[in-house]
Amino acid sequence: MSTVPAVASSQPVISDEPIFAEVDMAADTSGPIVRATVVQASTIFYDTPATLDKAERLLAEAAGYGSQLVVFPEAFIGGYPRGSNFGVTIGNRTAKGKEDFRKYHASAIDVPGPEVDRLAAMAGKYKVYLVMGVVERDGYTLYCTVLFFDNQGHYLGKHRKVMPTALERIIWGFGDGSTIPVFETPLGKIGAAICWENRMPLLRTAMYAKGIEIYCAPTADARELWQASVTHIAMEGGCFVLSANQFCRRKDYPPPPDYIFSGTEEDLTPDSVVCAGGSVIISPSGTVLTGPNYDGEALISADLDLGEIARAKFDFDVVGHYARPEVLSLIVKDHPTKPVTFSSSSVKKENSEQPLH
């Protein structure tokens, strides 16, 4: 096994079981090795402080095993509201649904904000690069966001999900082209796309053009079909793909009537699995290094031989020698888009520059 159960403990838990994938490395790998971990664990729903405490326990445990990069699932801080419909039907929103959104909004975090500061401090304390899925609060609009931190405790930036899926669109806003970063780090070039936006070819192409080498894919999709998507991305992009998903049982969410799994609540017991995980790490050649895991909460780790990137790109470089820009090209509008801009400051500046008569 290349996984270790994630134990809710205040101290890192050391296991006798090996946690790193049995990857066949050549004696001369010709590239640096990065030890990476994807976290498969559940949010403590409606309790952001407790979720942050849990994140720190898991981060400490991963760091204790020598991990240099740790990736958490989509919406780990703030929670993925699986099964909820927020009382929405076409033309109507219920009072309970509005109250559900108020509580969800209260569980989200401001970026920047005190929770971001704590996450940065955690990354610095345990000397790891941290990729964290959060629900970001910007006024009264929420975004599904990934935050990036370096191992010195610095916040690097964020990616907002550009296209929420299906009913997610009633609770999350849409990211724009200004938050599709790829960060150059000593571990390699790191970026992220969230869940089904990974199925958007043009978004992937933009990230490939930025030179992504370690492609993080936090998700909420536990289906076996998801494995086909992330395997394809690894081969298409010539990059490592690190996909982290939550493993959740019904009891990880508030009980009814406070929280309802619409349409399935009557069939669920407290121990029913409502998200089965499937977290996985895949090499640029499409080889599964570790996972997918469907057994429970776990830390899923592998050693990444970065020399594999060049070997894969020799076969296929989607924005390099395998591109045909004279036939097919992409323009990315990477400036921030704002619904309202104010011209008063520029008008005042222009007036101040007028000569006096």
Side-chain angles (χ1 to χ4, degrees):
M1 290 289 291
S2 56
T3 62
V4 169
V7 180
S9 167
S10 59
Q11 298 295 330
V13 176
I14 304 302
S15 170
D16 292 333
E17 300 224 357
I19 65 166
F20 298 107
E22 298 288 338
V23 182
D24 184 14
M25 301 282 190
D28 178 12
T29 62
S30 74
I33 304 297
V34 173
R35 188 161 284 183
T37 294
V38 293
V39 173
Q40 181 165 289
S42 174
T43 301
I44 302 173
F45 212 81
Y46 288 153
D47 195 338
T48 297
T51 302
L52 286 164
D53 290 343
K54 182 175 182 176
E56 182 161 6
R57 291 194 297 268
L58 295 167
L59 194 64
E61 188 176 349
Y65 294 123
S67 293
Q68 299 160 277
L69 170 65
V70 181
V71 181
F72 278 76
E74 177 180 12
F76 186 77
I77 306 297
Y80 187 83
R82 186 174 301 276
S84 178
N85 62 15
F86 289 87
V88 171
T89 55
I90 293 176
N92 185 58
R93 286 156 297 283
T94 66
K96 183 183 185 306
K98 292 179 180 182
E99 175 60 13
D100 289 345
F101 181 78
R102 184 201 64 77
K103 291 188 289 186
Y104 191 55
H105 179 271
S107 299
I109 67 171
D110 296 325
V111 181
E115 294 86 1
V116 177
D117 293 341
R118 181 174 177 189
L119 290 168
M122 287 161 47
K125 178 180 179 180
Y126 298 106
K127 304 301 181 187
V128 298
Y129 280 79
L130 172 61
V131 179
M132 175 63 75
V134 307
V135 179
E136 177 192 357
R137 180 176 55 222
D138 187 355
Y140 289 94
T141 295
L142 304 180
Y143 295 91
C144 183
T145 298
V146 168
L147 306 181
F148 301 85
F149 303 88
D150 71 13
N151 62 359
Q152 300 302 305
H154 300 127
Y155 167 63
L156 299 177
K158 68 184 178 185
H159 165 62
R160 284 178 172 174
K161 193 174 189 177
V162 299
M163 177 53 71
T165 299
L167 209 61
E168 293 173 357
R169 296 172 200 167
I170 69 169
I171 55 166
W172 292 340
F174 294 63
D176 61 33
S178 69
T179 67
I180 312 175
V182 172
F183 298 100
E184 188 159 358
T185 79
L187 305 185
K189 296 178 180 178
I190 301 172
I194 306 169
C195 206
W196 275 22
E197 68 176 0
N198 283 287
R199 297 170 63 175
M200 300 172 70
L202 301 185
L203 176 62
R204 297 198 307 268
T205 303
M207 295 172 68
Y208 301 151
K210 292 186 175 185
I212 193 166
E213 296 170 326
I214 301 176
Y215 186 119
C216 304
T219 188
D221 191 343
R223 300 172 308 153
E224 290 186 10
L225 282 173
W226 177 250
Q227 303 302 317
S229 291
V230 289
T231 301
H232 173 78
I233 292 168
M235 296 180 66
E236 178 183 68
C239 52
F240 291 93
V241 175
L242 283 58
S243 182
N245 193 8
Q246 298 194 32
F247 183 94
C248 307
R249 299 184 186 275
R250 176 63 185 88
K251 63 187 177 184
D252 292 317
Y253 287 80
D258 189 37
Y259 192 101
I260 299 292
F261 276 72
S262 299
T264 61
E265 187 65 60
E266 61 278 5
D267 299 324
L268 300 175
T269 70
D271 287 324
S272 294
V273 174
V274 294
C275 183
S279 302
V280 68
I281 299 177
I282 302 173
S283 81
S285 67
T287 300
V288 175
L289 300 181
T290 182
N293 179 289
Y294 298 102
D295 298 329
E297 293 200 341
L299 301 178
I300 301 164
S301 302
D303 286 345
L304 314 183
D305 170 14
L306 298 190
E308 282 294 315
I309 297 171
R311 292 189 276 272
K313 297 280 192 181
F314 177 64
D315 287 338
F316 185 83
D317 185 354
V318 68
V319 291
H321 62 75
Y322 225 90
R324 288 292 306 277
E326 76 280 14
V327 179
L328 302 167
S329 62
L330 171 66
I331 297 173
V332 179
K333 298 178 181 179
D334 59 356
H335 58 280
T337 56
K338 297 183 180 297
V340 179
T341 58
F342 295 92
S343 62
S344 57
S345 58
S346 60
V347 170
K348 289 177 182 178
K349 182 178 179 182
E350 290 174 2
N351 290 339
S352 69
E353 293 173 352
Q354 294 298 319
L356 297 176
H357 297 286

